[in-house]
Amino acid sequence: MAHSSVTGATVDTHASYLYEQLAELIVGMIENGALEPGMRLPSVRAVSEEHRISIATALQAYRLLEDRGVLVARPQSGFYVAAKHRGTLALPSTSRPRTKASTVSISGAVATLLEHASNSRLVPLGCSVPDGALLQSKRLDLALARAARQHGARYNVYCPPHGEPHLRQEIAKRAMRFGHALSPDDVLVTNGCTEALVLALSTVAQRGDTIAVESPTYFGFLHTLEMLGLKAFELPTDAVRGVDIVALARLLETETVAACLLSSNFNNPLGSIMAEADKRALLALLARHAVPLIEDDVYGDIHFARERPKPFIALDGGANTIYCSSFSKSLAPGYRIGWIAAGAYTQQVMERKLAFSLCGPMLPQVALADFLASGAYDAHLRRIRPAFEENLSRMTCTIEASFPDDTKVSRPAGGFVLWLELPKRFDSRALFDEALEQGICFAPGDVFSAGRRFRNCLRLSAGYEWSERIESGVRKLGRLARARLAH
Amino acid sequence: MAHSSVTGATVDTHASYLYEQLAELIVGMIENGALEPGMRLPSVRAVSEEHRISIATALQAYRLLEDRGVLVARPQSGFYVAAKHRGTLALPSTSRPRTKASTVSISGAVATLLEHASNSRLVPLGCSVPDGALLQSKRLDLALARAARQHGARYNVYCPPHGEPHLRQEIAKRAMRFGHALSPDDVLVTNGCTEALVLALSTVAQRGDTIAVESPTYFGFLHTLEMLGLKAFELPTDAVRGVDIVALARLLETETVAACLLSSNFNNPLGSIMAEADKRALLALLARHAVPLIEDDVYGDIHFARERPKPFIALDGGANTIYCSSFSKSLAPGYRIGWIAAGAYTQQVMERKLAFSLCGPMLPQVALADFLASGAYDAHLRRIRPAFEENLSRMTCTIEASFPDDTKVSRPAGGFVLWLELPKRFDSRALFDEALEQGICFAPGDVFSAGRRFRNCLRLSAGYEWSERIESGVRKLGRLARARLAH
């Protein structure tokens, strides 16, 4: 057992500091397999007693390893071996999309995918939505029940179009955590992030305009572009570092772009994140060309590194950025509450909001405001982040064991989806049809591109609690992929 | 007392039938003021005993007067003198809008109005929204509380984009009550009726197209047209009989119209309703020109006549009609649940729904489905219809007593708003500013027209429970209007 292994081993007295010795010992045990990913380490007290070191020293060792990503701390539970055994498969290649804007025509494929993805009889790898069982949002639900029972009549009115005032206040407060000061007046509550993006896009762009997006990018973005009659220019995107700024610079020199639409953090489907310096360079570039940035930060709270990465708006002070987000990925997909901070565009966005949906439902906003004010959201995030990270790790392990050997797989820095790249000749559409017959849903790669590229890729969601059903679904998918390639 | 007056009077034996004699007697007593609007009549049993007639005969008399709109039946309570003492003021004139499509530019005025209308310190005559205290939706709120408490985790998922299946089923079932057979598959749940209308309009029309609307028409329609870049052609509309079909026929002969957007019943702000024969003629006309009809039936359930009037979709079987409605006016403005039945356009509407807002929140839909399935909605409607009718009657009386003598006022057949027309030189915008200073909000007439006509008109909402505050607000408004005209 992990417990006895660590406490029973001897600390190497040649290492400079006791805590470093203990850390090295633990790393060694992970490398030789004595400690496996997901295992709980003995308590700090047990280790200190066993090795006759102070509790502070033992804790220092654990913290060091946590900072290095070797261990993961879980509040009220202890330290665990990080689910970081992801190394045998290569990363997907940086995309090389065509250098022309494309008219988007993807609505049929998206509708079909979403229909299958909402079919609960299929193994749920298709939709990037977190599992209710994993989210455990009981406290939020109880806040809703309380508000409905006690103040139903008071709240049975149209919500102010900007959103419920306390919720706007709580959202503005939270923005401080990623380093951007917002006032409640800057925040407009929306029907999920999707509506926020529609409001932003329809404010800054006209039918026929071109929007620069990542490649691959979330199919929902593409679908919205299609419905608004906008064209997509797909930017080369690295699976780790995100958008290629040089390519964006080239584009801006030659073409008129109405806006750039990017994930703030952890691109869906890649899980990539731009370095802060790159983000700043991108913002400077866009500002120089007076092209607004629309950012989608729905995955930003699900980061695996210790610090929450900053969205673009925190780096340019919102001068040229429209920030969109929601609580759908991190807390409550069922509540459908998103928000937008549109800076100079606030008035125009508000007018569109009034015309498109007037306002949102009242009680879910009241409940969410309550939940946020209670401070429960941070504890919630501390719980779900390692859970998603572990899910991704287990899924990666299962992919390694079952998919073709030359499969490439992303290493997301946050969120809960994986992007798989198979050899060029692989057809994920054919696999999709076969998988559906076998009771498994995933997202085929071509819906992540306006040009319908990435037919050799697929996205798997790890939003559901890991289970025998999920694991065998991934395994079966791997076998089907192998069989297809062997043909 | 009303009670003793009726039972004590003598039935005139010269009238042909006993029940007619009794009916005439009651009408006489109302005319001479012995029975006042809102008074309860003696029970059928008491009348039958007093006049020595059968219970059936007494009931026949009451029913006759109910059908004539003289009495109002309230379930579990008895018969009341209808609040129909609205005769001293003339009806607003039939509108004569310009015979050209207008570009709409109304968003600023609408945003300002809505902001004032949501200010709870102002007397609430501005927004056509029912009062939570009057709606008494406790049973719905408890259904929400129960669903959240017991099944929060199960429902913390994205709702199927078409809407929660049970809710779609209940909505489809209810359509039978207005004579149209729908299957749950025909129904798509939306974020209020506003989203339904946006989906419908953006499906059948392109930027620059012309939409035919009533005049005056709901400012929300105009705002949505503006945001979608659509032009409005305003049709002459009668305060009682609704749209002038001859004018529509003329329009269709000369101009290309992408769609016609009408209230199904009780136009906001007029309260007008087209006769069924006129509705059929209008449908035939539109079908001949292959122009789809988009109808908004949000007030349809709040009818004062015995029968619920049929919407257009029930008259053409949905062949050329997109039906939009919601529960915001009749049950739950705070829940923000609407729906659309788009017939042949269902697939296209669905694709737009996915791109514009993906799906709606889950738990409010679950609660509403529960509420509808319980049968409570019909009892609820039986309670609120006479309440709104009485509100309108009291407001009309107050207007008669306080507004200038040549004020014209609508006589709505349903809903809860009144349209007032003052002499041509009257400026309701100036009155609006003055009223705000005095703590009263109403809707100035010009926001109900793309051409910003009706500056001499205003809309008052009677959606709030009648109170001293409301009454003195209306009274003060009347005095201000008088003073303006006297200048």
Side-chain angles (χ1 to χ4, degrees):
Chain A
M1 297 276 54
H3 224 280
S4 57
S5 318
V6 174
T7 51
T10 320
V11 169
D12 173 7
T13 49
H14 292 104
S16 44
Y17 288 106
L18 278 174
Y19 78 93
E20 288 177 326
Q21 294 168 24
L22 179 58
E24 276 176 30
L25 170 72
I26 294 169
V27 168
M29 292 175 70
I30 292 171
E31 280 171 358
N32 70 28
L35 282 173
E36 286 183 12
M39 273 185 172
R40 189 155 89 87
L41 273 85
S43 72
V44 170
R45 177 172 301 276
V47 170
S48 81
E49 283 171 6
E50 186 68 25
H51 294 288
R52 295 198 199 95
I53 54 180
S54 73
I55 286 186
T57 301
L59 188 61
Q60 207 175 358
Y62 280 16
R63 288 271 181 236
L64 176 69
L65 292 178
E66 190 198 355
D67 287 348
R68 288 190 193 154
V70 176
L71 299 184
V72 172
R74 298 200 196 151
Q76 266 91 54
S77 174
F79 287 83
Y80 290 75
V81 179
K84 277 275 168 65
H85 179 56
R86 309 184 239 169
T88 66
L89 296 183
L91 283 163
S93 14
T94 300
S95 64
R96 294 271 162 256
R98 58 197 290 239
T99 54
K100 240 190 102 194
S102 311
T103 307
V104 192
S105 171
I106 204 161
S107 53
V110 169
T112 306
L113 172 60
L114 290 177
E115 208 175 306
H116 289 304
S118 73
N119 178 350
S120 62
R121 279 169 308 199
L122 300 176
V123 180
L125 311 172
C127 207
S128 175
V129 55
D131 183 8
L134 191 150
L135 289 174
Q136 293 180 30
S137 57
K138 185 139 199 78
R139 196 160 166 173
L140 173 63
D141 295 327
L142 291 179
L144 177 60
R146 202 167 43 241
R149 216 170 45 239
Q150 295 175 357
H151 308 293
R154 196 213 304 170
Y155 291 124
N156 194 11
V157 293
Y158 283 145
C159 186
H162 298 84
E164 203 279 321
H166 291 115
L167 178 58
R168 295 170 73 200
Q169 199 169 13
E170 290 301 324
I171 289 173
K173 264 201 249 166
R174 282 204 71 80
M176 284 307 295
R177 316 219 170 188
F178 53 68
H180 184 60
L182 279 178
S183 110
D185 293 342
D186 300 322
V187 174
L188 212 149
V189 178
T190 58
N191 292 308
C193 193
T194 302
E195 192 189 40
L197 293 167
V198 169
L199 298 175
L201 284 165
S202 64
T203 296
V204 303
Q206 301 276 330
R207 184 166 282 272
D209 283 354
T210 294
I211 309 295
V213 297
E214 289 146 306
S215 178
T217 192
Y218 169 47
F219 55 78
F221 292 176
L222 296 173
H223 188 191
T224 297
L225 294 186
E226 176 180 345
M227 289 299 138
L228 295 175
L230 300 168
K231 283 185 258 181
F233 186 100
E234 302 182 82
L235 298 164
T237 307
D238 182 81
V240 172
R241 296 180 313 279
V243 159
D244 178 347
I245 302 174
V246 178
L248 177 61
R250 241 187 340 252
L251 167 67
L252 296 176
E253 292 300 339
T254 54
E255 298 233 20
T256 305
V257 171
C260 191
L261 167 59
L262 302 180
S263 320
S264 314
N265 301 297
F266 324 127
N267 156 297
N268 170 5
L270 289 175
S272 61
I273 177 167
M274 293 177 75
E276 204 170 295
D278 287 350
K279 283 183 176 173
R280 287 184 194 277
L282 182 139
L283 283 167
L285 185 61
L286 289 176
R288 208 151 58 237
H289 289 86
V291 172
L293 174 69
I294 301 169
E295 63 171 322
D296 172 340
D297 198 19
V298 289
Y299 294 100
D301 281 342
I302 312 173
H303 52 90
F304 304 147
R306 189 185 273 256
E307 293 287 317
R308 195 221 194 269
K310 287 190 176 173
F312 291 95
I313 198 174
L315 303 176
D316 82 338
N320 194 38
T321 300
I322 302 180
Y323 179 87
C324 304
S325 192
S326 86
F327 295 91
S328 298
K329 302 301 180 189
S330 54
L331 177 64
Y335 280 58
R336 204 81 205 111
I337 298 177
W339 55 287
I340 183 168
Y345 299 102
T346 300
Q347 179 65 21
Q348 288 160 271
V349 164
M350 185 60 216
E351 283 173 6
R352 274 157 186 80
K353 166 78 185 164
L354 283 175
F356 289 176
S357 70
L358 197 56
C359 59
M362 191 66 148
L363 284 166
Q365 293 185 48
V366 169
L368 180 56
D370 240 40
F371 179 85
L372 293 175
S374 77
Y377 187 53
D378 287 305
H380 168 84
L381 289 175
R382 280 193 296 272
R383 187 175 56 74
I384 63 163
R385 280 183 205 121
F388 284 131
E389 192 179 10
E390 192 168 316
N391 271 8
L392 284 173
S393 164
R394 291 189 176 206
M395 193 172 273
T396 305
C397 290
T398 312
I399 289 165
E400 282 175 357
S402 58
F403 270 71
D405 296 338
D406 42 4
T407 301
K408 297 174 178 176
V409 63
S410 60
R411 282 178 216 148
F416 45 81
V417 296
L418 286 176
W419 182 247
L420 279 67
E421 182 184 326
L422 283 100
K424 271 288 167 218
R425 67 179 192 281
F426 185 78
D427 181 1
S428 72
R429 272 278 153 199
L431 179 68
F432 183 61
D433 294 337
E434 201 179 351
L436 286 178
E437 279 172 29
Q438 305 270 333
I440 304 164
C441 188
F442 68 88
D446 63 343
V447 296
F448 296 89
S449 155
R452 304 303 283 274
R453 300 160 50 81
F454 306 119
R455 214 175 155 109
N456 60 321
C457 298
L458 51 137
R459 187 193 73 182
L460 300 185
S461 165
Y464 274 69
E465 200 132 44
W466 195 253
S467 67
E468 180 46 40
R469 183 175 179 234
I470 301 277
E471 183 166 337
S472 79
V474 176
R475 224 181 274 282
K476 193 183 281 181
L477 211 51
R479 277 199 305 271
L480 293 176
R482 260 185 207 276
R484 296 218 140 256
L485 276 180
H487 274 282
Chain B
M1 297 272 49
H3 224 277
S4 55
S5 317
V6 175
T7 51
T10 319
V11 170
D12 173 5
T13 50
H14 290 102
S16 45
Y17 288 105
L18 280 173
Y19 79 92
E20 288 178 327
Q21 294 169 25
L22 178 59
E24 276 177 28
L25 170 72
I26 295 168
V27 168
M29 291 174 70
I30 292 171
E31 279 170 358
N32 69 28
L35 282 173
E36 285 183 13
M39 272 185 173
R40 188 155 88 88
L41 273 85
S43 72
V44 170
R45 177 171 303 275
V47 171
S48 82
E49 282 171 8
E50 186 69 27
H51 294 289
R52 295 197 199 94
I53 53 179
S54 71
I55 286 187
T57 300
L59 188 61
Q60 206 176 357
Y62 280 17
R63 289 273 182 233
L64 176 70
L65 293 177
E66 190 197 357
D67 287 349
R68 287 193 193 151
V70 176
L71 299 185
V72 171
R74 296 198 195 152
Q76 265 91 54
S77 175
F79 287 83
Y80 290 76
V81 179
K84 278 276 168 67
H85 179 59
R86 308 182 240 168
T88 65
L89 296 183
L91 281 164
S93 16
T94 300
S95 64
R96 295 271 163 257
R98 58 198 288 239
T99 54
K100 240 190 103 196
S102 312
T103 307
V104 191
S105 171
I106 204 161
S107 52
V110 170
T112 307
L113 171 60
L114 289 177
E115 207 174 307
H116 289 303
S118 73
N119 178 350
S120 62
R121 278 168 310 202
L122 300 176
V123 180
L125 311 172
C127 207
S128 174
V129 57
D131 182 7
L134 191 150
L135 288 175
Q136 293 180 29
S137 57
K138 186 139 197 78
R139 196 160 165 173
L140 172 63
D141 295 327
L142 291 180
L144 177 60
R146 202 167 44 240
R149 216 170 45 238
Q150 295 176 357
H151 308 293
R154 195 214 303 172
Y155 292 124
N156 194 10
V157 294
Y158 283 145
C159 187
H162 297 84
E164 202 278 322
H166 291 113
L167 178 58
R168 295 171 74 201
Q169 200 169 12
E170 290 301 325
I171 289 172
K173 264 202 249 168
R174 282 204 70 80
M176 284 306 297
R177 316 218 170 192
F178 54 66
H180 185 58
L182 279 179
S183 109
D185 292 343
D186 300 323
V187 174
L188 213 149
V189 178
T190 58
N191 291 309
C193 193
T194 302
E195 191 189 40
L197 292 168
V198 169
L199 298 176
L201 284 166
S202 64
T203 295
V204 302
Q206 300 276 331
R207 182 167 283 274
D209 284 353
T210 295
I211 309 293
V213 297
E214 289 146 304
S215 177
T217 192
Y218 169 47
F219 56 76
F221 292 176
L222 295 172
H223 189 191
T224 297
L225 294 186
E226 177 180 345
M227 288 300 139
L228 295 175
L230 299 168
K231 282 185 256 179
F233 186 100
E234 301 182 83
L235 297 165
T237 307
D238 182 81
V240 172
R241 296 180 313 278
V243 159
D244 179 346
I245 302 174
V246 177
L248 177 62
R250 244 187 338 255
L251 167 66
L252 296 176
E253 292 299 339
T254 53
E255 297 232 21
T256 305
V257 171
C260 190
L261 167 59
L262 302 180
S263 319
S264 314
N265 302 297
F266 323 127
N267 155 297
N268 171 4
L270 289 174
S272 61
I273 177 167
M274 292 178 74
E276 204 171 293
D278 286 351
K279 284 183 176 174
R280 287 185 195 276
L282 182 137
L283 284 169
L285 185 62
L286 289 176
R288 211 153 53 238
H289 290 86
V291 173
L293 174 69
I294 300 169
E295 62 171 323
D296 172 338
D297 198 19
V298 290
Y299 295 101
D301 281 342
I302 311 172
H303 51 91
F304 303 147
R306 188 186 276 255
E307 295 287 316
R308 194 222 195 270
K310 287 190 176 174
F312 291 94
I313 197 174
L315 303 176
D316 82 337
N320 194 39
T321 301
I322 302 180
Y323 179 88
C324 304
S325 193
S326 86
F327 295 91
S328 299
K329 302 303 179 187
S330 54
L331 176 66
Y335 279 57
R336 205 78 205 113
I337 298 178
W339 56 286
I340 183 168
Y345 299 102
T346 301
Q347 179 64 22
Q348 287 160 272
V349 164
M350 186 61 219
E351 282 172 8
R352 276 159 184 79
K353 166 77 185 166
L354 283 175
F356 289 177
S357 70
L358 196 55
C359 59
M362 192 66 148
L363 285 165
Q365 292 185 48
V366 170
L368 180 55
D370 241 40
F371 179 85
L372 293 175
S374 76
Y377 187 52
D378 286 303
H380 169 84
L381 289 176
R382 281 193 297 272
R383 186 175 58 74
I384 63 162
R385 281 183 204 121
F388 283 131
E389 191 178 11
E390 192 166 318
N391 269 8
L392 284 173
S393 165
R394 290 188 176 206
M395 193 172 273
T396 304
C397 290
T398 312
I399 289 165
E400 281 174 357
S402 58
F403 270 72
D405 297 338
D406 42 3
T407 301
K408 296 174 177 174
V409 64
S410 60
R411 283 178 215 147
F416 45 81
V417 296
L418 287 176
W419 181 248
L420 279 68
E421 182 184 325
L422 283 99
K424 271 288 166 219
R425 68 180 192 282
F426 185 79
D427 181 0
S428 72
R429 273 277 152 201
L431 179 67
F432 183 62
D433 295 337
E434 200 178 352
L436 287 178
E437 279 171 29
Q438 305 270 332
I440 304 165
C441 187
F442 68 89
D446 63 343
V447 296
F448 296 90
S449 156
R452 305 302 284 273
R453 300 160 50 81
F454 307 118
R455 213 174 156 110
N456 60 320
C457 299
L458 52 133
R459 188 194 72 181
L460 300 185
S461 167
Y464 273 69
E465 201 133 43
W466 195 254
S467 67
E468 181 46 40
R469 183 173 180 236
I470 300 279
E471 182 167 337
S472 79
V474 176
R475 226 181 272 283
K476 193 182 279 178
L477 211 52
R479 278 199 304 271
L480 293 176
R482 261 184 206 279
R484 297 217 140 253
L485 275 180
H487 274 282

